[in-house]
């Protein structure tokens, strides 16, 4: 059996940087106003993470502003402990479940061992920050193109 191509490189490129914010509507004034980034669509509630997400683009580069949607959101704990700031970096993969399985096979600790629904129809999984020197990393598989 040959190794699938997705498992050799695993990570394709940077998908987005996520920034935790207390109040999305306040933060977007900086990103859309002063920095001149473009919002892509409306604020989206992601029930799995209990967050509201706004996707912004600077050229082709993507930033996601993430606001807690409830007190028990993982982002609420992050903000309480560290204040606003960079929350995670997300890597694009072709097949998130295959990437999870490959990382587990390589001994990398995962927060999610199965693919989770992310924003904008993506499938995602988080790598445990203990396995990455403290950087929270997300794996993202884009939604299949609409047809
Ligand atoms: Co993300």
């Amino acid at each position: 059996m040959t190794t699938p191509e997705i498992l050799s490189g695993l990570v394709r490129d940077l998908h987005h940087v996520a920034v935790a914010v207390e109040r999305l509507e306040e933060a977007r004034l900086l990103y859309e106003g002063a920095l001149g980034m473009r919002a892509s669509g409306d604020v989206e509630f992601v029930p799995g993470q209990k967050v509201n997400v706004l996707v912004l683009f600077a050229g082709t580069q993507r930033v996601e502003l993430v606001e807690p949607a409830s007190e028990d959101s993982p982002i609420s704990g992050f903000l309480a402990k560290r204040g606003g700031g960079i929350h995670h970096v997300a890597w694009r993969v072709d097949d998130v479940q295959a990437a999870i399985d490959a990382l587990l096979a390589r001994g990398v600790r995962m927060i999610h061992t199965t693919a989770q629904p992310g924003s904008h129809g993506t499938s995602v999984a988080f790598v445990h920050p203990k396995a990455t020197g403290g950087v929270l990393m997300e794996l993202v598989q884009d939604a299949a193109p609409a047809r």
Side-chain angles (χ1 to χ4, degrees):
M1 207 173 108
T2 56
T3 307
E5 200 251 331
I6 47 169
L7 299 185
S8 54
L10 204 102
V11 163
R12 282 215 172 270
D13 60 6
L14 184 67
H15 187 280
H16 64 267
V17 172
V19 177
V21 300
E22 299 269 5
R23 280 171 297 277
L24 222 167
E25 290 307 322
E26 221 167 87
R28 74 186 296 174
L29 297 176
L30 170 72
Y31 286 83
E32 287 184 289
L35 294 174
M37 295 189 191
R38 287 171 300 103
S40 161
D42 296 323
V43 173
E44 185 185 351
F45 172 58
V46 181
Q49 298 291 313
K50 297 177 183 161
V51 291
N52 299 313
V53 177
L54 180 68
V55 174
L56 294 146
F57 280 93
T60 59
Q61 305 301 306
R62 176 175 174 138
V63 174
E64 296 189 2
L65 300 183
V66 184
E67 165 196 72
S70 66
E71 300 256 315
D72 60 342
S73 165
I75 297 288
S76 299
F78 178 90
L79 289 171
K81 221 187 294 174
R82 304 164 62 159
I86 292 178
H87 184 258
H88 63 267
V89 294
W91 306 111
R92 187 189 317 278
V93 298
D94 291 333
D95 180 330
V96 74
Q97 190 59 55
I100 292 167
D101 294 344
L103 287 172
L104 288 172
R106 294 168 187 179
V108 177
R109 187 166 159 200
M110 299 292 299
I111 291 175
H112 302 121
T113 54
T114 56
Q116 310 288 310
S119 67
H120 290 64
T122 56
S123 296
V124 306
F126 281 89
V127 182
H128 201 287
K130 286 234 157 79
T132 60
V135 179
L136 183 59
M137 293 183 183
E138 180 182 23
L139 308 172
V140 182
Q141 176 186 341
D142 276 320
R147 50 196 215 136

